[in-house]
Amino acid sequence: MKTLKIKTIDIQAKEWFDKVNGNSYFSANVTINYGHENQKNIFLPFQYGYGSFYEDKAGTELLKLNLVKKDDNNTFFSLWNYCKENKIILRTSKRENCLKRELSY
């Protein structure tokens, strides 16, 4: 199988705050090589998390799908740092204060 050459990673997340229980949840859409012929979309379903946690979960999913790799000594993985070291454009955005029903793409 030919390895996907990644040029860009775009992450668009939506966040909902459950006022009753005091927890935040998100869902996200990850697009690899946006606008290119080999564009690939990955959906991160509704799950617990707040702040920039959606970026960490996107990185974990990309690792699981073997689209990105940890370094040789298998240390902590940071998607932001991986993109910087591999000259990949990383764009992230999060829409806060969404309704729960808006967290599906």
Side-chain angles (χ1 to χ4, degrees), residues 62-74:
L62 294 174
L63 276 169
K64 190 167 77 173
L65 295 171
N66 292 318
L67 294 171
V68 297
K69 300 203 180 316
K70 288 188 178 185
D71 60 14
D72 291 337
N73 52 5
N74 210 20

Side-chain angles (χ1 to χ4, degrees), residues 9-105:
I9 298 175
D10 292 87
I11 308 169
Q12 296 175 327
K14 295 178 184 177
E15 187 178 72
W16 169 67
F17 181 69
D18 177 3
K19 294 176 189 169
V20 173
N21 298 305
N23 294 317
S24 293
Y25 298 87
F26 74 93
S27 67
N29 190 40
V30 181
T31 305
I32 307 298
N33 293 334
Y34 177 78
H36 290 84
E37 191 174 293
N38 62 347
Q39 178 175 315
K40 181 174 180 66
N41 293 308
I42 301 155
F43 178 68
L44 302 178
F46 182 88
Q47 57 194 293
Y48 173 79
Y50 60 92
S52 62
F53 189 62
Y54 69 95
E55 294 176 23
D56 294 337
K57 291 302 280 185
T60 300
E61 186 66 21
L62 294 174
L63 276 169
K64 190 167 77 173
L65 295 171
N66 292 318
L67 294 171
V68 297
K69 300 203 180 316
K70 288 188 178 185
D71 60 14
D72 291 337
N73 52 5
N74 210 20
T75 58
F76 175 77
F77 179 79
S78 162
L79 182 59
W80 175 85
N81 197 45
Y82 178 86
C83 290
K84 181 180 172 186
E85 289 176 357
N86 291 281
K87 297 179 178 40
I88 296 170
I89 297 168
L90 175 64
R91 295 178 287 240
T92 64
S93 66
K94 180 177 69 170
R95 197 172 112 209
E96 298 177 343
N97 302 317
C98 293
L99 299 173
K100 184 178 181 180
R101 67 176 176 256
E102 294 177 311
L103 269 65
S104 60
Y105 281 84

